[in-house]
Amino acid sequence: MWTTLKEYTDIRYEATDDGAIAKITINRPEVRNAFRPQTVHELLDAFHLVHEDPKIGVIILTGEGPLAFCSGGDQKVRGHAGYIGGDGVPRLNILDVQKKIRQIPKPVIAMVAGYAIGGGHVLHLVCDLTIAADNAKFGQTGPKVGSFDGGLGCSYMARIIGQKKAREIWYLCRVYDAQQALDMGLVNTVVPLEQLETETLQWCREILQHSPLALRCLKSALNADCDGQMGLLDLAGNATLLYYMSEEAKEGRDAFVEKRKPDFSKFPRIP
Ligand code: 2NE
């Protein structure tokens, strides 16, 4: 069913046999799939590959095993100014993964079993959709462990579930079960653990039946509202992409290449 596309140490990067669905799995179950700089480096690499692969239409982000989706930053390698990797440099580079998930022009689905906690909770939050197993647990721990995510972890969370609930989650650091998460609008659906992957693949297959360009434009349109000028950049990039595909735009290019005056007179000014 799954074919490995590239070997990594901290994650797995696989695709279905037809190449249409990619699955990126954080593979550190011994620490509840906490991420260290190496994990983040690999996630960025895999998301770059998935972005560039025109066969892939949907991406599943998940964690290895039934106990955790992701437990956030690896506290055991947290140093003075961030999480310290093999090069000794402290980093908070998970924020780059959050940006990549939002910017990639294909739906990303978080498939959550067990804990999605701390930075792991923000990761599911920034995905387009979340399918939760009935054993899933959600929450932030920042104020308990001396951390916080004041970026998408606050503003985007509040957009999704409202200011009161977002403040409750951050200030109290409680853990919420799958049904509570569904009631808050934090996740799209809850299914029995043993059906989690089947159900997620079903959602992927439904999405794959639809127009890739429509999905691409919708994702950037839904992002634009929250993402300011960078959101408009992606939305407008899609407008340019569509314009490049038109005869009108091709006339401008051809005229330049052929060293003649462009003739736009045949293109209507549609009201
Ligand atoms: C995830 C949770 C609730 C699981 O609890 P439980 O009881 O199922 O497992 P346990 O025994 O706590 O954990 C199993 C092993 O995983 C390690 C534990 O230390 C333990 O290993 P041993 O000590 O027995 O060898 N482990 C779990 N989470 C880890 C982590 N994040 N880093 C390193 N090791 C971890 C429970 O384990 C839990 O609450 N974990 C901590 C969650 C947390 O506070 N995460 C960091 C939030 S801050 C963050 O992610 C962040 C940010 O705020 C801003 C920027 C970037 C990152």
Side-chain angles (χ1 to χ4, degrees):
M1 159 98 222
W2 295 106
T3 306
T4 299
L5 297 185
K6 183 169 173 182
E7 298 283 354
Y8 294 98
T9 54
D10 285 11
I11 69 167
R12 285 201 313 273
Y13 173 39
E14 302 161 296
T16 45
D17 294 335
D18 62 1
I21 304 169
K23 183 165 73 165
I24 298 173
T25 306
I26 302 175
N27 189 19
R28 304 187 74 218
E30 67 283 1
V31 286
R32 300 293 188 264
N33 298 318
F35 50 78
R36 55 182 175 172
Q38 174 70 19
T39 325
V40 177
H41 179 71
E42 294 179 4
L43 285 170
L44 285 170
D45 189 65
F47 271 109
H48 174 70
L49 294 176
V50 95
H51 189 159
E52 293 294 321
D53 188 335
K55 283 204 304 296
I56 293 169
V58 191
I59 303 121
I60 298 170
L61 176 65
T62 193
E64 174 58 27
L67 298 181
F69 169 77
C70 175
S71 63
D74 187 329
Q75 299 305 297
K76 291 162 190 163
V77 302
R78 186 172 145 192
H80 181 58
Y83 298 87
I84 298 177
D87 59 4
V89 177
R91 290 195 168 86
L92 285 168
N93 50 354
I94 194 63
L95 304 181
D96 294 330
V97 176
Q98 297 174 8
K99 282 189 245 175
K100 187 71 190 163
I101 290 172
R102 284 188 60 82
Q103 191 226 344
I104 197 165
K106 311 173 187 191
V108 182
I109 302 183
M111 181 170 84
V112 178
Y115 286 102
I117 289 281
H121 186 252
V122 181
L123 272 187
H124 103 84
L125 198 70
V126 300
C127 290
D128 293 272
L129 302 169
T130 298
I131 317 261
D134 52 8
N135 77 334
K137 294 196 175 65
F138 300 86
Q140 297 298 155
T141 60
K144 258 201 314 204
V145 299
S147 182
F148 64 92
D149 181 339
L152 296 179
C154 284
S155 58
Y156 192 52
M157 187 196 290
R159 285 286 180 108
I160 294 174
I161 59 171
Q163 285 280 346
K164 292 282 183 189
K165 268 292 171 194
R167 284 165 203 245
E168 175 188 317
I169 288 178
W170 275 107
Y171 296 171
L172 279 73
C173 295
R174 286 182 182 166
V175 174
Y176 301 84
D177 66 24
Q179 186 57 48
Q180 289 171 305
L182 183 65
D183 294 343
M184 275 187 255
L186 258 183
V187 305
N188 294 87
T189 191
V190 178
V191 297
L193 175 61
E194 55 281 9
Q195 284 168 29
L196 181 61
E197 185 160 293
T198 309
E199 183 70 16
T200 307
L201 285 169
Q202 173 60 29
W203 284 53
C204 291
R205 295 273 172 222
E206 281 184 45
I207 290 169
L208 286 170
Q209 289 169 22
H210 300 140
S211 156
L213 264 176
L215 294 169
R216 179 189 177 105
C217 291
L218 279 168
K219 177 161 179 173
S220 63
L222 287 160
N223 283 350
D225 173 40
C226 300
D227 290 1
Q229 293 203 356
M230 295 315 284
L232 291 175
L233 179 152
D234 280 333
L235 188 62
N238 287 330
T240 308
L241 183 153
L242 290 166
Y243 179 56
Y244 268 33
M245 294 164 143
S246 72
E247 292 308 313
E248 186 175 332
K250 286 175 189 162
E251 168 60 14
R253 176 203 60 193
D254 291 348
F256 177 81
V257 172
E258 293 161 15
K259 298 190 185 300
R260 62 174 171 81
K261 223 172 152 220
D263 175 13
F264 291 115
S265 62
K266 58 187 168 216
F267 301 108
R269 290 187 173 80
I270 302 166

